[in-house]
Amino acid sequence: MTSLAALRRSPIALLVVLLLGLTFTGTAYAALQPTAPTTDVAAAATQAEDVEEGRKLFLANCATCHGTNAEGVDEVGPSLHGVGAASVHFQVATGRMPLPAPDVQASRNEDQVKFSEREIEQMAAYVASLAPGPERPDAQYLDLEGADIAAGGAAYRTNCAMCHNSSGSGGALTRGKFAPTLMGVDEEHIYEAMLTGPQAMPVFNDQNLTPQEKENIIAFLKFIEEGGNAHGGAGIGNVGPAGDALFIWTIGIGTMIALAVWIGRKAA
Amino acid sequence: MSTHDNTPAVVDQTTHDRFPNPGMPPHRPRRADVDERASRRAALQVVIFFTLSALGSIAFLVAYYVIDPELKGTIIGIGEINLFHAALGVTMAMSLLGIGLGAVHWAKTLMPDEEVAEDRHPPAASDEDKAAVAQQLSHGWRSSQLNRRTAILGSAGGALGLFALPLIVPVAAGLGPRPRGELYRTHWQDGLRLMIDPSGAPIRAADVTQGSVFHVMPEGWVGHQAFEEHGAEEAMISKSKDQVILVRLDPSIIKSQKQRDWGVDGIVAYSKVCTHVGCPVALYEQNTHHLLCPCHQSTFDMTDDCKVIFGPAKRPLPQLPITVDDEGYLVAADDFREPVGPSFFERERPGLLMGDDA
């Protein structure tokens, strides 16, 4: 303690402090200043590469229906100008696109996703480069931390439950179309579906459902997914009265008829 | 062989005689009828069924008091269930089925099963009986003096007739107060902002992009706040008739000039209450612009003033006239100009319900 106090008053002390200060400033400048431009350049370069790679993938896999410049083909595929990266990621990463055959609607098929996550990003980058559109969601709205499950449930029942069922198990629409189940769907895919409104589904933009409200809805869905069948009994698909009626009209009435026949028969 | 006048004119009387009476099928004795051991076995089985039933009843009581009502467990083929309810169901089924199966088995194996035919009596009574009854009735009528004392007859009839009223009137009156103007009006009025349900945010016209759908309630009637301000009953009434669906369509695909005039640059607002039985019509398909009711599949075409294109609904959904206020938010320009929701008898004749208010 005393030696330190003595050293502080030494004439060399000033020199040492000056030297330290200069070294620190120079190192910090060298460390921080030049790095920024190089990463920007690198990012721009990779983005340009992504767009180019994405264009090649697009021409090979998507252009038949969506046109060589994604301008759309009448009666076959819609224009992709302005659909954004979120839409591309949703459609391709859930296996809906490329569509195996024309049908009333594309169905989720995650076993048959044809592309790596990297390739999907490249295609998304290409489509996003054509015209501005919704971007992929920020990770902070997908971690479900601090999400309000009750508020999510209220928003879900007002905006989603009429088509997707209050238990998230999906339901029928008109002329063969249907709202798919939301159970077991990736958080990001649910978010992107709300943001882009795929197929018959309407768009829920950030003014209608804020990103926080979207996160709440996803948290609510994950909550009921993990909660399982809290009330007990066989769920029979959780699709409402249709499953119950099928059970009663086949197994229930069948058992009743068998019993009635048994009661009416004479014992031999 | 009937000789009444209303029998068909041409009846081939001989056909009736062509079929000989088949009589009873031959009686086949059951095993329990001829074999003493078989009958003892059957009796034992019946006793077992009844005993099972008794055991089921006791097990039900035990389960009711012993098992934790929240106990969960997994049963193969069904999944996770509440074991308390499962135990109650199984033991009660045992208790009831045991009685039923025992009774049926007893009747089928041990009770006499010889078939016996009992011939019908002639339907008419003998003339002496008829005369005796008529005389007794006439005697009773005269001895009651009702033929002379008509006031008793009249007052007794009145008492019995009025006696039914205390039973009938509360039922009819218990249907609730007679509706007045509330069937014709909603809370929407000129200048009231359209609010997003349930967040309660106002809506800028620019935020309603094509393809998006907004579920809307009137300003002051949204979410929890409405329940606190107006109470649960009023808030639920509001929810049931004020709910509105808001979409933006390309104005060039809108077929009705009135629909375009009542909207803002293709943004149109319609009542969400189905004109069939009042379910919320909210399944909007943005690629076909069809609006589907989940209850009975009534489908409305949003590009054609919400006309019915499929299903049991009879009338188009009522449109809410909207405009934009000074700050750019969407507001109602008026209430609905027709009653929302399903038909009712006085719908076209408000005077019948509203009286002087009309």
Side-chain angles (χ1 to χ4, degrees):
Chain A
M1 187 66 203
T2 43
S3 64
L4 237 173
L7 274 177
R8 208 177 59 188
R9 285 187 175 73
S10 148
I12 310 168
L14 182 68
L15 200 67
V16 170
V17 168
L18 207 66
L19 207 67
L20 272 175
L22 280 173
T23 315
F24 176 76
T25 317
T27 319
Y29 187 80
L32 294 176
Q33 203 270 334
T35 50
T38 47
T39 45
D40 264 6
V41 170
T46 40
Q47 206 176 8
E49 273 171 34
D50 276 357
V51 169
E52 184 48 34
E53 285 300 313
R55 196 179 73 85
K56 285 181 192 157
L57 284 165
F58 180 89
L59 286 175
N61 297 288
C62 320
T64 316
C65 301
H66 292 292
T68 44
N69 294 308
E71 76 280 15
V73 177
D74 277 349
E75 307 286 318
V76 180
S79 160
L80 298 185
H81 293 183
V83 301
S87 190
V88 176
H89 183 259
F90 172 82
Q91 297 284 357
V92 182
T94 59
R96 285 179 165 84
M97 293 287 149
L99 197 62
D103 203 348
V104 284
Q105 79 180 51
S107 299
R108 177 167 157 243
N109 192 351
E110 290 190 2
D111 300 334
Q112 288 196 6
V113 179
K114 308 271 194 310
F115 306 95
S116 69
E117 189 67 15
R118 181 90 192 96
E119 288 171 323
I120 296 171
E121 274 172 25
Q122 288 166 339
M123 279 186 277
Y126 168 65
V127 171
S129 75
L130 300 170
E135 289 173 16
R136 287 178 60 183
D138 202 327
Q140 64 161 310
Y141 296 117
L142 301 175
D143 59 14
L144 310 186
E145 271 173 37
D148 184 341
I149 293 171
Y156 178 84
R157 284 186 290 276
T158 304
N159 292 288
C160 323
M162 58 291 245
C163 297
H164 289 287
N165 194 325
S166 56
S167 63
S169 53
L173 295 173
T174 64
R175 298 176 193 185
K177 296 191 282 295
F178 63 94
T181 175
L182 302 178
M183 295 294 102
V185 180
D186 188 75
E187 287 89 345
E188 182 170 7
H189 297 158
I190 301 177
Y191 193 107
E192 287 165 346
M194 288 189 267
L195 193 62
T196 62
Q199 304 180 61
M201 176 166 165
V203 178
F204 295 92
N205 60 30
D206 286 349
Q207 285 72 40
N208 191 351
L209 291 172
T210 63
Q212 183 57 53
E213 285 173 323
K214 290 191 177 80
E215 186 182 8
N216 292 345
I217 289 176
I218 297 169
F220 168 75
L221 286 169
K222 291 295 157 194
F223 176 75
I224 58 172
E225 188 177 311
E226 286 157 18
N229 188 5
H231 301 292
I236 329 180
N238 287 330
V239 288
D244 303 3
L246 187 69
F247 179 83
I248 284 298
W249 280 100
T250 52
I251 298 182
I253 303 256
T255 312
M256 291 293 176
I257 291 171
L259 271 174
V261 168
W262 173 70
I263 291 172
R265 276 169 76 98
K266 293 189 72 153
Chain B
M1 300 304 124
S2 171
T3 52
H4 286 291
D5 290 333
N6 57 356
T7 46
V10 184
V11 176
D12 185 358
Q13 303 275 327
T14 54
T15 54
H16 289 293
D17 302 331
R18 282 203 191 148
F19 298 98
N21 180 1
M24 292 288 166
H27 177 67
R28 294 222 318 268
R30 297 164 298 187
R31 205 150 7 122
D33 294 335
V34 291
D35 183 354
E36 179 57 26
R37 282 180 52 211
S39 76
R40 256 184 287 140
R41 196 167 54 237
L44 183 67
Q45 284 161 347
V46 171
V47 169
I48 288 174
F49 278 132
F50 285 147
T51 313
L52 271 179
S53 162
L55 290 178
S57 305
I58 294 166
F60 179 93
L61 292 176
V62 172
Y64 186 81
Y65 284 107
V66 170
I67 300 179
D68 174 14
E70 299 296 321
L71 185 68
K72 298 270 167 63
T74 305
I75 288 183
I76 296 161
I78 296 180
E80 191 190 25
I81 60 166
N82 181 317
L83 286 184
F84 177 66
H85 293 160
L88 294 190
V90 168
T91 51
M92 185 179 269
M94 223 169 101
S95 156
L96 295 175
L97 263 181
I99 294 178
L101 293 177
V104 171
H105 195 57
W106 181 15
K108 286 171 62 130
T109 55
L110 295 173
M111 284 188 183
D113 73 336
E114 305 253 5
E115 286 178 17
V116 184
E118 197 176 355
D119 288 334
R120 283 183 188 159
H121 303 289
S126 69
D127 286 345
E128 300 93 81
D129 287 352
K130 284 191 218 165
V133 170
Q135 210 236 321
Q136 215 159 14
L137 280 177
S138 141
H139 174 73
W141 178 248
R142 267 182 281 109
S143 60
S144 70
Q145 303 180 359
L146 283 178
N147 51 343
R148 289 191 288 128
R149 304 188 196 283
T150 49
I152 295 182
L153 187 65
S155 58
L160 285 173
L162 287 173
F163 163 72
L165 286 183
L167 302 178
I168 296 168
V169 169
V171 174
L175 295 173
R178 190 170 165 77
R180 299 284 170 190
E182 64 267 29
L183 288 180
Y184 302 89
R185 291 188 295 265
T186 70
H187 292 106
W188 288 105
Q189 51 173 293
D190 183 20
L192 214 54
R193 275 188 182 159
L194 278 69
M195 299 296 209
I196 297 177
D197 184 35
S199 71
I203 306 164
R204 280 184 195 283
D207 292 342
V208 187
T209 50
Q210 271 186 32
S212 60
V213 59
F214 286 68
H215 298 280
V216 170
M217 287 294 286
E219 188 176 356
W221 291 96
V222 195
H224 276 301
Q225 207 194 340
F227 278 77
E228 280 160 22
E229 272 179 36
H230 307 284
E233 190 173 343
E234 282 300 307
M236 290 310 290
I237 289 173
S238 157
K239 188 103 192 173
S240 69
K241 63 180 186 180
D242 298 341
Q243 49 181 339
V244 158
I245 189 164
L246 181 81
V247 302
R248 184 195 281 263
L249 302 168
D250 179 352
S252 66
I253 63 167
I254 296 179
K255 294 173 192 143
S256 148
Q257 186 57 43
K258 166 237 155 192
Q259 183 181 4
R260 232 171 283 151
D261 293 344
W262 288 15
V264 176
D265 300 335
I267 304 175
V268 289
Y270 280 89
S271 165
K272 226 162 86 174
V273 192
C274 187
T275 54
H276 176 220
V277 285
C279 293
V281 190
L283 285 72
Y284 174 58
E285 297 178 353
Q286 63 122 333
N287 49 358
T288 58
H289 308 296
H290 291 169
L291 197 54
L292 172 69
C293 180
C295 292
H296 306 99
Q297 284 68 51
S298 291
T299 310
F300 302 87
D301 185 358
M302 288 211 91
T303 63
D304 194 10
D305 204 15
C306 275
K307 288 217 173 78
V308 183
I309 52 172
F310 180 80
K314 188 165 162 286
R315 280 175 288 109
L317 295 171
Q319 187 178 5
L320 181 72
I322 55 171
T323 179
V324 177
D325 69 5
D326 304 338
E327 295 172 60
Y329 292 111
L330 292 171
V331 293
D334 194 0
D335 192 357
F336 288 103
R337 296 194 178 147
E338 58 178 310
V340 299
S343 301
F344 50 97
F345 183 72
E346 301 89 345
R347 189 174 186 276
E348 309 301 332
R349 294 174 294 276
L352 289 179
L353 275 186
M354 308 247 273
D356 298 336
D357 301 349

